[in-house]
């Protein structure tokens, strides 16, 4: 009698997922069912083939051209694959005496459009620009970029008559056509605003400028709007697009190097990353963060070889973090064979720490020169049987040691060595400390019993112990700024409670003992937090208005009283936040105002009051605490909120920056609250207003999957949810010169607690260190390899895919019921969801081999919460 072997649940799950995807692919062969809002409706091979095409624009830099007879400026020309519209369009030629090197950005030619007030009309204004040939496309999401230069752009025909913004005067457009090349409606319905918007217009990058004096050549993304709008989608019936660049107002516009291509946002995380699991990598390929320069890769066997860590005791102590880290890591390979400053013996491998003025530095002049002005820089070199770790600061040695420790292969007793020269793009790279509720906040929640409150208070102590372990983890991946959140302080922010001091003392002492000058603590405070979010000033009670004023000593003492426990424990950064809770005038947010009666008597406006407070706080910090950095989040902390102010934000920043201590750093979240794309257009707007390079506060790590009204795919584009990632890497678009526009510190607002967030924060560490080399998908792959291993990483992606397929169904039902309360769920929809729940549970069972119970519990909680949300919605 034959026994039937029990099928491995992991194999069963993978096979079932493959069958489901294959069925989806078969159904998707019908092109009429293809939809960009449902990426899986389009066969994977079709999407992959279109993605591989790259730039779909022919003659993108206008180099293919027949130039006719011209007396001076070039108006008589015929472009390949482009049509000239109007009479004011020139072709530049940097080799001609009538043009200069600034008249093209890529190659020899560019398009130049010059409009004058005489030429521009209020009625029947002629189009001036260039229009591309038809470009074949499939439904989906596309990236659209171009190089642009602007000069003296003044909106309107008669500035004396109409005062406005640029709006649609920089007329950059996509025109959509069906398979018969008949025009399609450019309007696209956006559920967030419950109406159609003009998705053909792509000049929004400049729409909210009042005017542009000079905008130098830069790479800009063509866009209709910003998050939560899904930029880059085209109509489902679209088979062709044409690109138009035009100028409708006085000024000059140059265009070059046009790029239009299918984006990554047509693929699920597994589809984007699956190829990584089919390749072999050395440990040098998997470093987090990726070093700037790597060469001379080689495998060094450590079997039966003594390792000697050598350093000058006047330079380092045995307890120095770099020494400690290497000893712990290499002891995992060699055990007692790792020595420290032992007499040299034949055949041993020495790892020697050196600095620029040491006796050995002469052999590495070039290397030291390469990191001389690079904060936190280091290099690793090998000569004979000695590996040299060079740095100018102790933090550099630690980072060299952390890199070398990642290259040690404990299983094979090898070192994947490479020559490395390295330093970060951003010298401040954040991780958030765990959040908690103080006792007073818990007691205000009447739904909590006394035992529940006691349990929450005990949980804080456990979280604090875990925090110290997390500090070790983040330090090893070169994150170095640890911020507390002002939400910990409760609505009585000036009375933080007893645990607050314990929190900072414990964390501060741990950092000082183990990571002195490597890990820095930052403290947030928001002196407006006692208000409700975005309250109108005339709705405030007198008692609320009296709690805080910018000019009183009592209020200043409240602020310093909150800051002192953190600063006394070693905090090196203070972030004073004025986001979300500053009251405003009128019914529309944006016109932020004074609210306290005494402040209104003392200060001209809010900017004057905040400048006074910040300058006073900076002076207090300078007097009482050395080397403390002061950061400020203004009320209009992104371009969206600046535009809400209808000109008042421009006045606010003019008054603020004109009187503010120049050492105070201003914080900015980008185009919107959760910015997914940065380019010269939105960064220059902030720089012009801030009068300094802004420090980025990045809310993108949760942007695509957040389930709030102004949220991501599950709420506004349910079927796009399959592209979300529970382990989402830091994934934004930015230009190659991104860092040159910004402050040297970068703040990621992703939680620092939990196993999922550790994985996500590893990708942030990778990004913030080396933006040019950063690949979000490969960074996440590396993080999986580091934390759960390659095979288990793929299982996590399979779980993620099953989860978000179910989220897509939940989101569809939620949206349908919201738009139609009488909506009834069909039997087919219910059966589909039941099958998805079954597959989701199978996917969870398949990750059982992962030896991280905390991670599995987090995923289980997420899964169960969504199943519960579905059941509640169905009922």
């Amino acid at each position: 009698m034959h026994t039937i072997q029990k099928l491995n649940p992991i194999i069963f799950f993978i096979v079932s997922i493959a069958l489901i995807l294959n069925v989806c692919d078969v159904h998707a062969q019908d092109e009429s069912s293809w939809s960009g809002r449902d990426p899986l409706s389009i066969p994977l091979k079709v999407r992959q083939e279109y993605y591989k095409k790259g730039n779909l624009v022919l003659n993108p830099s206008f180099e293919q051209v027949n130039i006719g007879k011209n007396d001076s400026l070039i108006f008589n020309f015929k472009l390949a694959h482009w049509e000239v519209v109007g009479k004011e369009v020139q072709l530049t030629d940097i080799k001609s005496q009538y043009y200069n090197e600034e008249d093209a950005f890529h190659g020899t030619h560019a398009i130049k459009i010059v409009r004058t007030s005489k030429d521009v009309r209020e009625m029947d204004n002629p189009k001036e620009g260039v229009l591309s040939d038809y470009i074949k496309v499939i439904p989906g999401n596309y990236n659209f970029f171009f190089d642009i230069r602007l000069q003296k752009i003044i909106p309107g025909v008669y500035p004396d008559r109409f005062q406005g913004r640029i709006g649609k005067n920089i007329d950059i457009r996509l025109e959509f056509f069906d398979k018969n090349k008949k025009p399609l409606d450019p309007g696209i319905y956006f559920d967030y605003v419950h109406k159609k918007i003009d998705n053909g217009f792509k000049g929004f990058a400049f729409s909210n400028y009042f005017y542009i004096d000079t905008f130098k050549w830069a790479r800009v993304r063509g866009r209709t709007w910003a998050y939560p709008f899904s930029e880059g989608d085209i109509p489902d019936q679209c088979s062709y697009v044409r690109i138009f660049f035009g100028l409708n107002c006085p000024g000059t516009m140059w265009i070059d190097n046009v790029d239009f291509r299918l984006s990554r946002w047509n693929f699920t995380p597994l589809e984007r990353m699956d190829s990584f699991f089919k390749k072999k990598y050395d440990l040098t390929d998997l470093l987090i963060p990726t070093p700037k320069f790597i060469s001379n890769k080689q495998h060094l066997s450590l079997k039966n070889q003594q390792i000697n860590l050598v350093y000058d005791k006047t330079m380092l102590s045995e307890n120095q973090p770099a020494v400690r880290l290497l000893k712990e890591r290499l002891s995992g390979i060699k055990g007692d064979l790792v020595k420290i400053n032992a007499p040299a013996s034949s055949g041993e491998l020495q790892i020697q720490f050196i600095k620029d003025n040491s006796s050995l530095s002469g052999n590495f002049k070039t290397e030291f020169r390469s990191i001389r002005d690079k904060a936190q820089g280091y290099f690793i070199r090998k000569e004979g049987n000695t590996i040299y770790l060079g740095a100018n600061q102790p933090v550099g040695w630690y980072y060299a040691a952390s890199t070398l420790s990642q290259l040690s292969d404990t299983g094979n007793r090898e070192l994947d060595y490479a020559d490395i020269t390295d330093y970060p793009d951003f010298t401040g790279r954040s991780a958030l400390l765990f959040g908690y509720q103080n006792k007073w906040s818990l007691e205000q929640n009447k739904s909590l019993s006394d035992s529940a409150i006691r349990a929450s208070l005990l949980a804080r102590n456990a979280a604090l112990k875990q925090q110290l372990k997390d500090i070790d983890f983040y330090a090893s991946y070169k994150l170095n700024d640890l911020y507390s959140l002002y939400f910990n302080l409760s609505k009585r922010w000036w009375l933080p409670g007893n645990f607050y001091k314990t929190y900072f003392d414990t964390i501060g002492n741990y950092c000082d003992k183990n990571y002195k000058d490597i890990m820095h603590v930052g403290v947030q405070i928001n002196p407006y937090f006692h208000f409700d979010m975005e309250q109108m000033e005339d709705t405030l009670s007198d008692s609320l208005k009296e709690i805080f004023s910018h000019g009183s000593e009592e209020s200043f003492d409240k602020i310093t009283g909150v800051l002192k426990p953190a600063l006394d424990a070693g905090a090196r950064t203070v972030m004073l936040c004025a986001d979300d809770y500053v009251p405003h005038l009128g019914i529309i947010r944006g016109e932020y105002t004074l609210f306290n009666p005494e402040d209104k008597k003392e200060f001209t406006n809010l900017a004057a009051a905040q400048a006074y407070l910040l300058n006073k706080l900076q002076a207090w910090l300078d007097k009482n605490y050395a080397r403390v950095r002061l950061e400020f989040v203004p009320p209009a902390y992104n371009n969206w909120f600046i535009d809400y102010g209808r000109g008042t934000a421009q006045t606010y920043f003019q008054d603020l920056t004109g009187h503010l201590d120049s050492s105070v750093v201003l914080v900015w979240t980008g185009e919107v609250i959760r910015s997914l794309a940065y380019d010269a257009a939105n960064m220059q707007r902030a720089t012009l207003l801030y009068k300094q390079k802004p420090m980025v506060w990045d809310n993108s790590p949760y942007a695509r999957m957040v389930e709030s009204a102004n949220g991501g795919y599950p709420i506004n584009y349910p079927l796009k949810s399959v592209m979300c990632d529970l382990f989402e890497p830091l994934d934004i678009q930015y230009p190659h010169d991104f860092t040159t526009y910004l402050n040297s510190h970068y703040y990621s607002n992703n939680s620092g607690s939990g196993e999922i967030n550790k994985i996500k924060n590893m990708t942030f560490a990778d990004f913030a260190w080396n933006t040019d080399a950063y690949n979000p998908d490969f960074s996440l792959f590396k993080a999986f390899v580091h934390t759960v291993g390659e095979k288990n990483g793929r299982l996590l992606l399979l779980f993620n895919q099953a989860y978000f397929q179910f989220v897509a169904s939940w989101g569809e039902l939620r949206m349908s019921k919201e738009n139609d309360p009488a909506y009834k769920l069909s039997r087919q929809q219910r059966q589909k969801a039941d099958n998805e729940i079954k597959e989701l549970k199978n996917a969870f069972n398949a990750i059982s081999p992962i030896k991280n119970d905390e991670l599995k519990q987090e995923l289980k909680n997420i899964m169960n919460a969504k199943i519960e949300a579905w059941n509640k919605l169905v009922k």
Side-chain angles (χ1 to χ4, degrees), residues 799-812:
F799 172 83
N800 181 81
Q801 185 141 309
Y803 174 75
F804 279 109
Q805 288 228 241
F806 178 54
V807 169
S809 296
W810 168 84
E812 283 262 275

Side-chain angles (χ1 to χ4, degrees), residues 91 228 233 244 270 380 580 773 819 833 841:
L91 178 79
D233 291 351
F244 178 74
L270 181 58
I380 301 174
D580 297 338
N819 293 332
K841 291 180 177 179

Side-chain angles (χ1 to χ4, degrees), residues 21-35 38-44 46-47:
L21 293 178
N22 186 56
V23 169
C24 290
D25 226 33
V26 170
H27 287 309
Q29 298 300 323
D30 179 11
E31 291 188 27
S32 64
S33 67
W34 293 3
S35 171
D38 181 8
L40 297 184
S41 69
I42 306 172
L44 175 60
V46 173
R47 286 178 279 139

Side-chain angles (χ1 to χ4, degrees), residues 797-827:
L797 286 178
L798 286 166
F799 172 83
N800 181 81
Q801 185 141 309
Y803 174 75
F804 279 109
Q805 288 228 241
F806 178 54
V807 169
S809 296
W810 168 84
E812 283 262 275
L813 179 59
R814 186 209 65 80
M815 181 179 285
S816 298
K817 295 193 75 168
E818 183 179 273
N819 293 332
D820 178 11
Y823 181 84
K824 299 293 184 183
L825 184 69
S826 71
R827 188 174 68 176

